[in-house]
Amino acid sequence: MLQPLADALALPLLLLLVVQAPPLTGARPSPGPDYLQRGWLRLLAEGEGCAPCQPEECAAPRGCLAGLVRDPCDCCWECANIEGQLCDLDPSAHFYGRCGEQLECRLDAGGDLSRGEVPEPLCACRSQHPLCGSDGRTYAQICRLQEAARARPDANLTVAHPGPCESEPQIVLHPYDIWNVTGQDVIFGCEVFAYPMASIEWRKDGLEIQLPGDDPHISVQFRGGPQRFEVTGWLQIQAVRPSDEGTYRCLARNALGQVEAPASLTVLTPEQLNSTGIPPLPSLHLVPDEEVESEEGDDYY
């Protein structure tokens, strides 16, 4: 009876000895970059408090788009939090981390708090003024330019001047080629960035006649946005007919130049559609009172 019990206890004891056995002399070190190993050694040494500062054990932070900040023990450098990242409202706390250069920690009150959402502390740029970079791009604010400069250090990106860069229009959203059946409505859209602001015109084929002209079934609409220094234009054709088929051009111009983008319209009769076996496209309607929401997520606009 004792032998089976001894055998049952022998295996756990053997595994315990293996786990606790010291590493052999000359064993391979654990894989991974050396700076990461030094960082983990320091964290283990600190525990819940701060060990004496030994800079040689600090990990070397890399790819920090918002710059560097000191760690909770004020010893090592670490990556600062970028815009939109969670942060600690209390400067003495160090749970989410600290915001980087030109950033501050604020409560985000943009959510729908009426539905019980709790505002979160997020890093926000202190300045919301656009500026022109030395690369000729307009950045929403200084924080976005600094992120781009740190992401491309070889570019030597700097601030050329406050305010947006003056440039000829750039079509950021081209109109798409469309086909539809006679009697249906179609819409072409065109989104343009420029400073000074650009005007948008619509023309058909190679003609210089500006649409809609005196054609009652064609209408145009323009609206600023969705980003600052942008304008969006739409061309709507109601109840298309075969004579509407052709190439339509979105032409944008300001004092510095002009640019255009074409898109084609193909009109099929019901008989032609039936012969192809393709299901008809839904009719598109332009809602005059539709609100266009602004998006602030891009590095430049």
Side-chain angles (χ1 to χ4, degrees):
M1 295 293 291
L2 295 178
Q3 185 61 36
L5 180 60
D7 293 341
L9 295 175
L11 182 58
L13 182 58
L14 179 61
L15 292 176
L16 182 62
L17 290 174
V18 171
V19 171
Q20 292 184 347
L24 297 176
T25 303
R28 289 186 63 186
S30 59
D34 182 58
Y35 76 92
L36 290 179
Q37 295 178 32
R38 295 198 308 271
W40 278 109
L41 289 173
R42 175 168 181 80
L43 289 175
L44 291 173
E46 289 177 4
E48 295 182 356
C50 292
C53 183
Q54 296 180 346
E56 66 276 5
E57 292 185 1
C58 294
R62 300 176 183 176
C64 302
L65 298 183
L68 301 174
V69 293
R70 289 289 188 181
D71 66 2
C73 296
D74 199 28
C75 176
C76 300
W77 290 104
E78 62 183 10
C79 286
N81 292 358
I82 64 173
E83 185 176 21
Q85 199 169 1
L86 290 170
C87 54
D88 298 308
L89 281 174
D90 183 0
S92 63
H94 198 88
F95 183 77
Y96 294 118
R98 299 170 182 171
C99 300
E101 185 181 356
Q102 301 288 345
L103 294 161
E104 62 183 359
C105 193
R106 303 177 189 166
L107 280 179
D108 178 23
D112 190 357
L113 302 183
S114 62
R115 297 186 179 180
E117 293 185 6
V118 178
E120 295 180 319
L122 301 175
C123 293
C125 195
R126 291 190 176 95
S127 171
Q128 294 299 323
H129 297 292
L131 42 83
C132 180
S134 56
D135 58 355
R137 293 178 174 178
T138 298
Y139 291 82
Q141 18 84 342
I142 184 63
C143 301
R144 294 303 172 89
L145 184 140
Q146 289 179 339
E147 287 182 20
R150 293 186 178 107
R152 297 179 284 123
D154 296 338
N156 296 320
L157 180 61
T158 59
V159 177
H161 60 76
C165 303
E166 292 191 357
S167 66
E168 63 182 23
Q170 306 168 33
I171 297 181
V172 295
L173 184 62
H174 292 241
Y176 295 100
D177 295 341
I178 299 176
W179 69 267
N180 213 325
V181 186
T182 54
Q184 298 295 308
D185 297 350
V186 297
I187 297 175
F188 291 103
C190 188
E191 185 179 317
V192 179
F193 165 83
Y195 186 80
M197 292 286 288
S199 63
I200 296 180
E201 301 174 2
W202 291 95
R203 306 182 190 278
K204 183 185 177 185
D205 297 325
L207 304 177
E208 294 303 317
I209 300 175
Q210 184 175 342
L211 298 176
D214 57 358
D215 196 327
H217 84 301
I218 297 180
S219 59
V220 296
Q221 182 174 346
F222 307 97
R223 187 170 296 169
Q227 303 285 2
R228 282 181 291 181
F229 315 113
E230 286 186 358
V231 61
T232 302
W234 296 273
L235 172 72
Q236 181 181 29
I237 306 175
Q238 297 177 317
V240 294
R241 46 201 184 212
S243 60
D244 294 321
E245 188 169 281
T247 300
Y248 292 82
R249 294 178 292 143
C250 166
L251 191 150
R253 60 166 54 126
N254 66 2
L256 301 177
Q258 70 178 41
V259 64
E260 63 181 55
S264 63
L265 171 63
T266 302
V267 180
L268 302 177
T269 64
E271 294 76 16
Q272 290 173 322
L273 181 65
N274 291 335
S275 65
T276 62
I278 302 175
L281 295 177
S283 176
L284 299 175
H285 297 280
L286 186 63
V287 182
D289 297 331
E290 180 183 3
E291 293 295 331
V292 180
E293 297 184 359
S294 177
E295 299 177 359
E296 300 293 342
D298 295 333
D299 288 346
Y300 55 90
Y301 50 92

